């Protein structure tokens, strides 16, 4: 990966809807080689996809919670827990961690009542879960901006 590839990545993280023409102009290439590079980055798995960034409030998901979960430390319990998370659309990010807590979730729901229902009916009922702790997000200070792409 060279400096032009990295610049392509920076530009596409800023605006994934750039036309190839505009992208090529911004990175100092003609459109054809620019398109080849983008396709190669996609084929290599460097660019994994394109998404729209949606305002959570506009889709009734403005109440966000960070949840730490402890799961029994055996392979079957962990695998069952991770598989069950895939079926919970309110869990928008999930990470297995070293140490304690064992798992960190980011959840987006409509309001506190919706979260309470999810907590009671789903999270605490998941197989292997021994502890659930919630931190309600007061304010998002920094939005995800993509990954730094250094030269």
């Amino acid at each position: 990966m060279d400096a032009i590839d990295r610049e392509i990545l920076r530009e596409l993280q800023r605006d994934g809807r750039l036309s190839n023409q505009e992208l090529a102009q911004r990175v100092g290439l003609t459109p054809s080689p620019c398109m080849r590079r983008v396709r190669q980055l996609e084929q290599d798995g460097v660019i994994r996809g394109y998404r729209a960034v949606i305002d959570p409030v506009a889709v009734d998901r403005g109440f966000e919670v960070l949840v730490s979960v402890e799961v029994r430390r055996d392979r079957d319990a962990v695998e069952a827990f991770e598989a069950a998370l895939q079926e919970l659309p309110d869990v928008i990010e999930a990470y297995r961690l070293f140490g304690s807590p064992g798992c960190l979730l980011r959840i987006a729901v409509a309001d506190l009542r919706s979260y309470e229902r999810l907590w009671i009916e789903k999270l605490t009922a998941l197989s292997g879960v021994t502890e659930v702790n919630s931190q309600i997000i007061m304010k998002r200070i920094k939005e995800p901006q993509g990954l730094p792409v250094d030269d």
Side-chain angles (χ1 to χ4, degrees), residues 61-130:
R61 298 275 178 172
F63 191 83
E64 292 189 28
V65 185
L66 297 176
V67 180
S68 58
V69 179
E70 289 294 349
V71 179
R72 258 190 352 265
R73 304 281 178 159
D74 69 74
R75 183 179 185 164
D76 291 339
V78 170
E79 288 176 354
F81 172 75
E82 290 179 2
L85 287 181
Q86 302 304 318
E87 305 303 317
L88 298 177
D90 299 324
V91 177
I92 58 174
E93 291 181 74
Y95 302 92
R96 186 188 320 158
L97 307 174
F98 288 105
S100 189
C103 193
L104 182 64
L105 313 177
R106 182 168 152 235
I107 293 175
V109 291
D111 52 29
L112 180 59
R113 179 171 286 164
S114 299
Y115 177 65
E116 180 183 17
R117 192 168 39 257
L118 176 72
W119 191 90
I120 290 169
E121 296 174 7
K122 305 274 173 83
L123 294 177
T124 59
L126 291 173
S127 177
V129 169
T130 61

Side-chain angles (χ1 to χ4, degrees), residues 22 25 50 52 57 89 92 112 119 131 134:
E22 178 66 22
Q25 185 177 7
Y50 301 88
V57 174
I92 58 174
L112 180 59
W119 191 90
E131 188 176 337
S134 308

